[in-house]
């Protein structure tokens, strides 16, 4: 393996981070988590990993543990989901193609000794569209424990998101492993070829992934069950929106014809169905009723 993933710090400008990701499909960021935040994360999630069972199936790995619903289980994870540097990257890459981005998935991934390398894949295969015109999703893989070549650090193929032939497999020299210290994060686009590495060490390798996607896509993890209203009502409004408790214009995700966040307060006696359109759509409708298109499209 001769390829590499560029490393930046928490102080690096978001524009530069996005430029690197446009070129390579991935970047490693250090310094986003303080020692205290990392300690809190371990305290909150260690018990969850201890009681988790090994997965079933060829893809997830039978010597790999996975945990879910992290937004509901961990206050620190909720903070990590909404870190300005991470959300800033997501908004720059995904934001132009949707009204709002949303949380696609939260998952703890613990690769145990003896696990073989995962099959190389692109995560955006979740969404069955060939020749996607833009990115559908982006992942932030946090190093919960140290990531090394020996213990199964994530294998990535830089630049593979730009390959014209998406079906071809990578050569050995095109791949690299994202070695990271605890608290560092690998951010990579969903169209990038990657996989979990084999664990040849004597200890598990653990990561926590926060995945984001376009707001009009179905989420991989059903956030309304992972963090149901009786839990989500205590979250900040920004996190509620990220989970999907909001309308994605035009008129996607309504509840009783209005914003689903009415579930978090005193529900009105009667909800009023109201347009949730983009400004551009509202302007076209206004012009239509003003008679600007009467000679072509107005039907009376």
């Amino acid at each position: 393996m001769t390829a590499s993933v560029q490393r930046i710090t928490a102080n690096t400008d978001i524009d530069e981070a996005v430029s690197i990701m446009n070129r390579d499909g991935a970047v490693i960021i250090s310094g986003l988590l303080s020692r205290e935040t990392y300690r809190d994360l371990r305290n909150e999630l260690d018990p969850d990993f201890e009681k988790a069972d090994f997965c079933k199936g060829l893809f997830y790995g039978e010597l790999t543990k996975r945990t879910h619903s992290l937004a509901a289980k961990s206050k620190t994870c909720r903070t990590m989901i909404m870190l300005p540097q991470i959300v800033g990257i997501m908004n720059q890459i995904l934001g132009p193609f949707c009204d709002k981005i949303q949380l696609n998935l939260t998952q703890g991934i613990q690769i145990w000794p003896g696990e073989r390398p995962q099959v190389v894949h692109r995560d955006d295969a979740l969404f069955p569209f060939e020749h996607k015109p833009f990115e559908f999703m982006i992942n932030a893989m946090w190093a919960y424990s140290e990531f090394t070549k020996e213990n199964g650090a994530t294998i990535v193929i830089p630049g593979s998101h730009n390959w014209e032939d998406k079906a071809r497999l990578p050569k050995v020299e095109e791949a690299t492993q994202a070695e990271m210290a605890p608290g560092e994060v690998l951010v990579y686009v969903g169209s990038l070829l990657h996989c979990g590495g084999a664990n040849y060490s004597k200890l598990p390798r653990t990561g926590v992934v926060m995945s984001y996607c376009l707001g009009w896509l179905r989420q991989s993890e059903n956030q309304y069950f992972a963090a149901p209203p009786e839990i989500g009502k205590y979250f900040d409004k920004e996190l509620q929106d990220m989970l999907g408790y909001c309308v994605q214009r035009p008129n996607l995700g309504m509840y009783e014809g209005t914003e689903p966040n009415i579930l978090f307060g005193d529900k009105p006696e009667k909800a009023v169905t109201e347009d949730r359109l983009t400004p551009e759509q509202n302007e076209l409708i206004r012009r239509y009723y003003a008679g600007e298109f009467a000679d072509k499209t107005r039907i009376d």
Side-chain angles (χ1 to χ4, degrees):
M1 297 183 183
T2 57
S4 63
V5 179
Q6 188 167 337
R7 312 180 77 91
I8 60 176
T9 70
N11 296 323
T12 302
D13 188 78
I14 290 175
D15 288 340
E16 182 177 347
V18 170
S19 177
I20 295 168
M21 291 188 64
N22 287 338
R23 182 192 69 203
D24 299 337
V27 68
I28 293 174
I29 308 175
S30 62
L32 287 175
L33 296 188
S34 67
R35 290 183 180 180
E36 292 77 12
T37 302
Y38 175 70
R39 178 200 62 209
D40 292 343
L41 179 68
R42 293 294 302 258
N43 289 337
E44 291 164 5
L45 293 186
D46 274 354
D48 208 42
F49 282 112
E50 289 174 8
K51 66 183 181 183
D53 294 323
F54 288 109
C55 302
K56 294 181 180 180
L58 297 176
F59 179 74
Y60 280 133
E62 295 183 343
L63 287 176
T64 297
K65 292 184 175 184
R66 294 175 187 262
T67 64
H68 308 271
S69 305
L70 303 186
K73 294 175 179 176
S74 166
K75 180 179 179 180
T76 304
C77 282
R78 295 194 288 272
T79 298
M80 293 163 63
I81 289 166
M82 298 305 300
L83 282 173
Q85 296 92 332
I86 298 296
V87 174
I89 291 172
M90 305 302 162
N91 277 327
Q92 278 216 28
I93 299 177
L94 300 175
F97 307 106
C98 60
D99 184 40
K100 299 174 184 176
I101 64 169
Q102 65 181 348
L103 190 67
N104 180 55
L105 171 77
T106 63
Q107 193 174 95
I109 304 173
Q110 191 171 75
I111 298 175
W112 278 65
E115 182 65 281
R116 60 187 176 182
Q118 193 182 31
V119 63
V120 67
H121 63 281
R122 305 177 194 271
D123 281 341
D124 68 358
L126 286 169
F127 310 110
F129 293 90
E130 292 187 10
H131 312 298
K132 297 180 178 68
F134 40 75
E135 293 297 335
F136 276 31
M137 60 177 292
I138 305 173
N139 294 332
M141 170 64 81
W142 294 88
Y144 187 89
S145 66
E146 186 178 19
F147 276 39
T148 69
K149 292 179 180 179
E150 185 182 20
N151 73 8
T154 304
I155 298 170
V156 297
I157 294 80
S160 58
H161 64 309
N162 288 325
W163 289 357
E164 290 187 12
D165 181 5
K166 299 291 186 181
R168 86 167 176 92
L169 294 176
K171 301 174 183 177
V172 172
E173 62 270 18
E174 293 176 311
T176 188
Q177 286 185 266
E179 295 189 278
M180 296 188 287
E184 292 187 311
V185 60
L186 168 70
V187 185
Y188 61 98
V189 296
S191 60
L192 187 76
L193 282 171
H194 70 286
C195 63
N199 190 343
Y200 301 108
S201 75
K202 297 180 179 180
L203 295 172
R205 184 279 274 172
T206 308
V208 172
V209 64
M210 315 293 189
S211 176
Y212 305 75
C213 68
L214 301 171
W216 41 264
L217 290 169
R218 180 167 173 82
Q219 295 148 297
S220 178
E221 179 179 50
N222 191 318
Q223 299 300 332
Y224 316 115
F225 290 107
E230 59 267 25
I231 294 174
K233 68 180 181 180
Y234 296 109
F235 297 167
D236 292 339
K237 175 64 165 58
E238 291 78 11
L239 180 57
Q240 292 171 350
D241 286 356
M242 186 67 79
L243 292 172
Y245 283 109
C246 63
V247 171
Q248 177 85 199
R249 296 176 300 181
N251 295 333
L252 291 175
M254 293 189 295
Y255 172 71
E256 293 290 330
T258 188
E259 292 281 355
N261 59 19
I262 64 171
L263 292 166
F264 300 145
D266 295 329
K267 186 176 177 181
E269 292 185 7
K270 182 182 292 186
V272 177
T273 302
E274 184 180 353
D275 287 342
R276 293 293 191 277
L277 304 177
T278 65
E280 294 79 12
Q281 290 169 326
N282 275 319
E283 176 62 14
L284 281 174
I285 293 174
R286 184 199 66 77
R287 292 173 61 194
Y288 177 84
Y289 283 115
E292 293 188 31
F293 311 121
D295 59 330
K296 295 180 181 180
T297 62
R298 181 70 181 267
I299 300 176
D300 294 317

